[in-house]
Amino acid sequence: MLNDIVEDYPIAQFFRLEQNYPNPFNLTMQIQYTIPLTSFVTFNMYDVIDRELVTLVSQTQDQGLSIVKLDAGSFAAGIYVYHLSPVPVAHRDIFTKTKKLCYCDNDNHERNLRSPFNPIR
């Protein structure tokens, strides 16, 4: 599984978590988020029964826009949730945001249409 973080964009003024692109996605996708303050960022992905599947980010990041790229080839088709929680280093404010995403496996498209959720293989 390949996770890349691309950083160092202009300064952000607000916390913001974007919807993954594309959504639904097949194999690869990216998620953008902005943080206005240097923060310790945790960014995790879960299945619909709240099992943590992968930690996408767990590090201190400077303020600005970040883009996380994910190769989800080892995931089963289904609905997933991603959760961002940056804790500013110099403040006590905490921001959390959670969004849903859908992974479509084109090789098994017919089966996926019949089943609303396929557990991890």
Side-chain angles (χ1 to χ4, degrees), residues 6-18:
V6 180
E7 315 183 47
D8 297 329
Y9 286 90
I11 296 172
Q13 295 186 7
F14 303 100
F15 286 110
R16 185 169 180 156
L17 176 61
E18 301 293 338

Side-chain angles (χ1 to χ4, degrees), residues 2-6 56 67-70:
L2 172 65
N3 298 327
D4 292 328
I5 302 172
V6 180
L56 301 170
I67 300 171
V68 176
K69 295 182 180 180
L70 173 70

Side-chain angles (χ1 to χ4, degrees), residues 10-83:
I11 296 172
Q13 295 186 7
F14 303 100
F15 286 110
R16 185 169 180 156
L17 176 61
E18 301 293 338
Q19 187 64 49
N20 63 293
Y21 178 81
N23 189 26
F25 72 100
N26 182 11
L27 294 182
T28 61
M29 59 116 175
Q30 68 179 29
I31 303 169
Q32 296 183 6
Y33 60 92
T34 56
I35 55 175
L37 304 166
T38 298
S39 302
F40 185 82
V41 176
T42 54
F43 194 9
N44 301 311
M45 214 164 139
Y46 300 87
D47 63 15
V48 293
I49 58 174
D50 204 31
R51 289 183 298 190
E52 184 177 319
L53 303 175
V54 64
T55 297
L56 301 170
V57 179
S58 180
Q59 66 187 33
T60 300
Q61 292 183 319
D62 291 330
Q63 64 191 72
L65 172 68
S66 294
I67 300 171
V68 176
K69 295 182 180 180
L70 173 70
D71 177 354
S74 64
F75 291 8
I79 305 295
Y80 296 91
V81 175
Y82 54 97
H83 180 82

